[in-house]
Amino acid sequence: MKSIGLWWGIMIIFSGPVLAQSYGTSGGLRLGSNKHYRTLGVSVQQRVLKDITLEGIIQSDFSNNHTAHLLVEKHSRIISKRFNYYYGAGMSIGSEESLVKNHETREITRTYGNGTLNADLIIGIEMTMLSTNFSLDYKPSVNIIGNRRPWYAGQIGISARHVFVKSAVQKRNQRKKKRNKRRGKAPFFENIRDKFRGY
């Protein structure tokens, strides 16, 4: 109980001073584990709307399973922008192994190199602190095309991503781009007006 209280205290302390450091772009490593194998991968997140991010994951067990994932995720606060939960969906492609059980002979036939297309879901929690984003997620995957068995596989993932672009910087750049765009249109219309006036 003391360790739980200490953990919550640390999160509350850090959530105040770094509240404005919400990430726009982050990237790092992701460790994944399911019933049959473990993977090491790269995860990159890009905020595209106020509470929507795109996440790209490339992961491998350096043996028979190599996949690439693209997910759209919605984020909601738990304590602050620094600590929230998220959920989403996406697609993945890869080369994966397949394990087929024969209940009569009690044998397992294992094949690898199977090209697959899968539908992914994801749900997780994350905390951003000291320019690093930590997350814990569960990512189930349903095989649509290819010969993957079992057709359903759930993976638990732990990620640590460095914040390359903070949310405040991203918003400032977006506002600057909009201002420049508006300013860029003004001379064009003024030139047309002047031409009609004969100036």
Side-chain angles (χ1 to χ4, degrees):
M1 292 298 291
K2 288 183 179 179
S3 61
I4 294 173
L6 179 63
W7 174 247
W8 279 106
I10 290 171
M11 286 196 305
I12 290 169
I13 289 170
F14 279 109
S15 66
V18 294
L19 185 63
Q21 292 184 0
S22 180
Y23 66 91
T25 305
S26 66
L29 297 178
R30 181 180 187 275
L31 300 175
S33 178
N34 64 22
K35 187 178 179 180
H36 302 291
Y37 55 87
R38 293 178 176 85
T39 61
L40 174 63
V42 176
S43 167
V44 176
Q45 285 189 329
Q46 175 64 52
R47 188 176 299 274
V48 292
L49 294 173
K50 183 180 179 182
D51 55 356
I52 302 293
T53 62
L54 293 178
E55 181 176 10
I57 300 170
I58 298 176
Q59 61 182 11
S60 173
D61 67 348
F62 301 98
S63 179
N64 299 321
N65 297 278
H66 322 282
T67 54
H69 311 253
L70 182 62
L71 301 146
V72 180
E73 300 164 353
K74 178 175 173 56
H75 299 248
S76 299
R77 297 184 190 183
I78 297 176
I79 294 177
S80 70
K81 288 191 294 185
R82 314 303 299 151
F83 185 45
N84 58 73
Y85 71 92
Y86 60 95
Y87 56 90
M91 302 293 291
S92 63
I93 58 172
S95 175
E96 300 180 77
E97 66 183 9
S98 181
L99 304 174
V100 179
K101 294 181 179 180
N102 187 324
H103 295 287
E104 293 181 1
T105 62
R106 300 182 70 180
E107 293 178 334
I108 297 176
T109 303
R110 178 178 178 180
T111 61
Y112 57 92
N114 303 298
T116 58
L117 173 66
N118 310 306
D120 293 351
L121 298 173
I122 192 167
I123 183 168
I125 57 173
E126 66 174 0
M127 180 174 65
T128 306
M129 182 174 63
L130 304 177
S131 296
T132 305
N133 175 259
F134 302 96
S135 68
L136 172 66
D137 67 71
Y138 177 67
K139 185 174 66 60
S141 173
V142 176
N143 181 233
I144 299 174
I145 299 174
N147 186 30
R148 191 188 74 185
R149 296 292 182 274
W151 60 271
Y152 173 89
Q155 184 185 68
I156 295 174
I158 299 174
S159 301
R161 292 177 287 261
H162 177 71
V163 176
F164 294 106
V165 179
K166 297 176 183 178
S167 179
V169 174
Q170 185 183 38
K171 289 176 182 177
R172 186 166 65 243
N173 291 340
Q174 289 172 346
R175 288 194 297 267
K176 184 178 179 181
K177 190 178 291 185
K178 287 180 181 178
R179 284 197 302 269
N180 291 339
K181 192 174 182 181
R182 286 195 298 268
R183 290 172 182 171
K185 286 182 178 179
F188 175 75
F189 287 112
E190 287 174 5
N191 289 337
I192 292 177
R193 181 192 63 190
D194 293 343
K195 285 181 181 178
F196 278 109
R197 288 181 176 179
Y199 296 148

